[in-house]
C-alpha cells in the first residue's frame, strides 16, 4: 500500500482555472474533418453537413477552444481554396499527410461549426509556403467588418458579421525537418515578428502564439525558444509547446509517469521565456500555449502514411485506440496543465475526432467515446474557481526514465462561490493501492459529493465500436470524510475525480 498526503488551503492559490486549458484541435488530417465532424449525407448530419452526434459528444467533452486547420497541414495550405462555392473549390495534394484535400470544408464551414459547438477558434496561419500577405488576407477576411475586397468576399460567402477571431498561431512546428518550409530559429523569429506586427495593424488586440520547439527532444530545443523570443518578444503573447507520449516496449511505469516530462517541459520553457524577459527588462510575461498534447503511438501501423501514387481522400490515419493506462496518463497530463495555470494560458488536446482522438466515428455509422474521453470530460466539467497549490506528497515508485516519482499525483481546484472543491488524482503504481489522506478542514467542506475512478484489472482494456463503455469512470466507494479529512483509496493504475462540498 502506498501512502500520500494532500493539504487543501484556500489561501494557497496558483491561478484561476482557465477554460482555455480544455482546448482541442481539428486538423485536415485523415478523418478528423471529413467523416469526423463533417459528413453530409450521414443520418445525423444537419443542414450544414455537420454530424450532430459528434457535436453532442464535443459538448459533453467540455471542449473550450479548437485549433484549426493544422498542424503540419497548414504549412502548405491556401486558405482561399476553402471558401466560396464548393463546386468551384480546387482539389489539391496535401503534402503533409500524402492525401487529397477536396476543400469541401474551409474557414467558413469551420466558423459555422465552432458557433454550433459553442467553442472558441484558434486559427493557424501558413508560414511554411506562404507568409505575411496570406496571413493579412486571411485576417482581413475573417475579422474586418466590411467594405474591403476580402471582408466583402466573406459577406458574399454568407457571413455578414466578422468572426473576430482572437487567438492565432504563427505557423506550426517550424523547427521540424518534416515541416514544409522548415526554418531556422533566426529565420522563423524574424518572420513571426514581422507577421505579428503587420497583423496587429489590422487588429491590435489579437493574441498571438509563436512556435516553440516541436518537442523537448529536438536538438535545437532551448536555443530555438531563446532566439525566437529574442526576436519576437514584443510582438507575441504566447509560445507553443507540443508533446506526445506513448508506452515504449513494456515500460509501463515510465509511461504512467509521463506528466513528469510535461511538468519539466513547461518549467523549462517558462524559465527560458523569463530569461529573455530579464535581459530585455520587460514587464510582459510570455505565456505558454500547450497547443498539441496527447498519447500518440507514433510508430504504430495507424500512423503509416500513404505513399507513391496513392493519394487518398480522408484515409484512416493516426486512428489510435486507447486503453485504460492511456486514460490515466491523459488524466495526469491534465493535472500537470492545471498545476501550471499560472503560465499555461491555453492547451489543446490533439486531436478531437478520429485522429489520436477521444471521439471516434464510423462513416455513415456511430460515434463513440474512447477511454481518454472520460478524464478530459470530467476534468473540464469539475475544475472550477481557482487552482490550489496542493501537490500530493508521499511514497514513490521507481521508473527507468524519470527515476523515483510520487506514486500519487494530484491537483485540486476550489470554487468559493459554490463552496466546492475538486481533487484530481492518479495512482501511478502498477501493483499497489494508494491510501490518500486529504486535509480539507480549511475549506469548511463536509460532504463527498462525488468520487469516480477509471481503472480496471486490465490496464490495456480498450473501448471499441459496439463496446464503447468497457473503460469508463465507476463510483469509488472507498472514500470517507471525517473531521475535515478525506481518506480515499486509489487502485493501481487509476485516475480519480473527487468532488467535495458544503451542505450548509
Ligand atoms: O497532431 C498530429 C501532428 O503532430 C500535427 O499535425 C503536427 O503539428 C504534430 O507533429
Amino acid at each position: 500500500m502506498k501512502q500520500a498526503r494532500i493539504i487543501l488551503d484556500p489561501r494557497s492559490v496558483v491561478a484561476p482555472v482557465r477554460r482555455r486549458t480544455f482546448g482541442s484541435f481539428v486538423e485536415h488530417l485523415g478523418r478528423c474533418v471529413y467523416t469526423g465532424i463533417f459528413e453530409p449525407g450521414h443520418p445525423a448530419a444537419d443542414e450544414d453537413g455537420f454530424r450532430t452526434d459528434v457535436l453532442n459528444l464535443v459538448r459533453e467533452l467540455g471542449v473550450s477552444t479548437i485549433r484549426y486547420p493544422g498542424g503540419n497541414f497548414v504549412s502548405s495550405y491556401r486558405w482561399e481554396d476553402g471558401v466560396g462555392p464548393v463546386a468551384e473549390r480546387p482539389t489539391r495534394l496535401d503534402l503533409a499527410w500524402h492525401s487529397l484535400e477536396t476543400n469541401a470544408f474551409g474557414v467558413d464551414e469551420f466558423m459555422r461549426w465552432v458557433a454550433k459547438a459553442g467553442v472558441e477558434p484558434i486559427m493557424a496561419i501558413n508560414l511554411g509556403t506562404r507568409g505575411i500577405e496570406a496571413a493579412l488576407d486571411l485576417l482581413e477576411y475573417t475579422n474586418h467588418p466590411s467594405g474591403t475586397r476580402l471582408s466583402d468576399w466573406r459577406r458574399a460567402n454568407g457571413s455578414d458579421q466578422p468572426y473576430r477571431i482572437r487567438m492565432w498561431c504563427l505557423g506550426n512546428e517550424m523547427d521540424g525537418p518534416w515541416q514544409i518550409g522548415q526554418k531556422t530559429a533566426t529565420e522563423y523569429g524574424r518572420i513571426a515578428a514581422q507577421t505579428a506586427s503587420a497583423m496587429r495593424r489590422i487588429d491590435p488586440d489579437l493574441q498571438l502564439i509563436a512556435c516553440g520547439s516541436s518537442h523537448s527532444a529536438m536538438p535545437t530545443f532551448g536555443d530555438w525558444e531563446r532566439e525566437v523570443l529574442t526576436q519576437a518578444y514584443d510582438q507575441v503573447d504566447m509560445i507553443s509547446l507540443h508533446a506526445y507520449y506513448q508506452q515504449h516496449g513494456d515500460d509501463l511505469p515510465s509511461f504512467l509517469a509521463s506528466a513528469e516530462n510535461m511538468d519539466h517541459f513547461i518549467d523549462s520553457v517558462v524559465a527560458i521565456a523569463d530569461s529573455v524577459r530579464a535581459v530585455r527588462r520587460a514587464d510582459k510575461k510570455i505565456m505558454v500555449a500547450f497547443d498539441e498534447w496527447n498519447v500518440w503511438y507514433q510508430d504504430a501501423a495507424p500512423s503509416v502514411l500513404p505513399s507513391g501514387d496513392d493519394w487518398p481522400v480522408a484515409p484512416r490515419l493516426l486512428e489510435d485506440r486507447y486503453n485504460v493506462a492511456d486514460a490515466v496518463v491523459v488524466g495526469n497530463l491534465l493535472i500537470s496543465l492545471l498545476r501550471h495555470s499560472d503560465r499555461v494560458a491555453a492547451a489543446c488536446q490533439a486531436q478531437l475526432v478520429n485522429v489520436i482522438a477521444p471521439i471516434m466515428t464510423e462513416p455513415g455509422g456511430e460515434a463513440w467515446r474512447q477511454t481518454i474521453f472520460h478524464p478530459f470530460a470530467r476534468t473540464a466539467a469539475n475544475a472550477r474557481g481557482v487552482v490550489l497549490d496542493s501537490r500530493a506528497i508521499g511514497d514513490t515508485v521507481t521508473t527507468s526514465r524519470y527515476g523515483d516519482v510520487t506514486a500519487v499525483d494530484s491537483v485540486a481546484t476550489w470554487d468559493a462561490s459554490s463552496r466546492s472543491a475538486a481533487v484530481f488524482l492518479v495512482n501511478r503504481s502498477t501493483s499497489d493501492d494508494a491510501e490518500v489522506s486529504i486535509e480539507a478542514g480549511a475549506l469548511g467542506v463536509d460532504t463527498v459529493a462525488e468520487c469516480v475512478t477509471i481503472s480496471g484489472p486490465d490496464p490495456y482494456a480498450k473501448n471499441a465500436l459496439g463496446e464503447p463503455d468497457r473503460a469508463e469512470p465507476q463510483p469509488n466507494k472507498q472514500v470517507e470524510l471525517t473531521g475535515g479529512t478525506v481518506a480515499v483509496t486509489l487502485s493501481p493504475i487509476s485516475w480519480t475525480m473527487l468532488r467535495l462540498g458544503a451542505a450548509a
Side-chain angles (χ1 to χ4, degrees), residues 79 123 125 132-145 150-151 154 162-166 168 195-196 198-204 206 208:
W79 68 266
M123 190 63 71
I125 59 167
I132 302 173
E133 188 174 81
L136 294 178
D137 284 354
L138 177 56
L139 180 58
E140 185 180 319
Y141 183 90
T142 58
N143 282 20
H144 190 69
L150 291 165
S151 56
R154 181 200 68 241
Y163 299 129
R164 298 202 187 283
I165 300 167
R166 294 295 85 209
W168 294 75
T195 308
M199 289 173 78
R200 289 195 194 282
R201 291 188 188 209
I202 295 178
D203 193 338
L206 298 176
L208 300 178

Side-chain angles (χ1 to χ4, degrees), residues 202-491:
I202 295 178
D203 193 338
D205 299 326
L206 298 176
Q207 293 158 31
L208 300 178
I209 305 169
C211 293
S213 298
S214 300
H215 53 79
S216 60
M218 292 296 288
T220 49
F221 171 65
D223 291 339
W224 173 276
E225 280 73 8
R226 186 172 299 104
E227 173 64 14
V228 167
L229 288 179
T230 297
Q231 295 215 37
Y233 200 93
D234 294 337
Q235 286 80 19
V236 304
D237 305 286
M238 293 172 239
I239 184 145
S240 71
L241 279 70
H242 292 180
Y244 293 100
Y245 300 97
Q246 66 180 94
Q247 182 175 329
H248 295 279
D250 58 4
D251 190 3
L252 181 56
S254 295
F255 174 53
L256 290 170
S258 297
E260 298 291 315
N261 176 277
M262 182 180 255
D263 285 340
H264 183 62
F265 189 13
I266 297 170
D267 293 343
S268 304
V269 173
V270 165
I272 296 165
D274 288 350
S275 75
V276 179
R277 175 179 181 233
V279 170
R280 300 174 71 84
R281 295 166 180 80
D283 288 334
K284 173 173 129 183
K285 279 188 185 166
I286 295 289
M287 303 295 275
V288 161
F290 216 122
D291 56 22
E292 285 188 34
W293 67 268
N294 206 351
V295 172
W296 176 12
Y297 292 86
Q298 299 200 36
D299 308 323
S303 293
V304 175
L305 299 189
S307 59
D309 291 338
D310 183 24
W311 293 88
V313 175
R316 288 185 185 266
L317 273 180
L318 281 65
E319 297 199 9
D320 285 3
R321 298 295 162 98
Y322 293 112
N323 59 39
V324 170
D326 298 327
V328 172
V329 169
V330 162
N332 201 170
L333 296 174
L334 283 162
I335 288 171
S336 170
L337 291 168
L338 277 173
R339 174 158 57 225
H340 289 94
S341 293
D342 55 334
R343 295 305 287 268
V344 175
C348 303
Q349 188 182 37
Q351 299 192 4
L352 184 65
V353 185
N354 290 328
V355 173
I356 44 172
I359 299 170
M360 300 299 290
T361 67
E362 277 304 302
E366 281 173 51
W368 52 280
R369 302 168 190 80
Q370 297 232 52
T371 58
I372 62 169
F373 183 99
H374 300 291
F376 190 109
R378 297 288 180 138
T379 308
N382 289 287
R384 290 278 177 272
V386 294
V387 180
L388 297 181
D389 189 0
S390 60
R391 196 169 185 167
I393 44 176
D395 294 339
T396 58
V397 290
T398 300
T399 72
S400 59
R401 277 184 179 232
Y402 308 112
D404 287 351
V405 304
T406 55
V408 174
D409 196 14
S410 68
V411 73
T413 64
W414 167 241
D415 183 19
S417 60
S418 62
R419 296 184 62 207
S420 68
V423 189
F424 306 95
L425 306 123
V426 285
N427 177 7
R428 309 188 282 197
S429 168
T430 55
S431 52
D432 298 337
D433 281 353
E435 205 171 61
V436 187
S437 164
I438 305 171
E439 294 170 28
L443 302 179
V445 289
D446 53 21
T447 323
V448 175
E450 192 181 8
C451 185
V452 290
T453 290
I454 299 174
S455 66
D458 177 8
Y460 298 109
K462 298 176 180 178
N463 292 352
L465 183 67
E467 282 179 311
D469 305 324
R470 281 174 68 198
E472 64 171 7
Q474 300 296 334
N476 182 337
K477 303 219 166 66
Q478 290 182 284
V479 58
E480 217 170 63
L481 169 56
T482 19
T485 298
V486 181
V488 59
T489 304
L490 314 176
S491 47

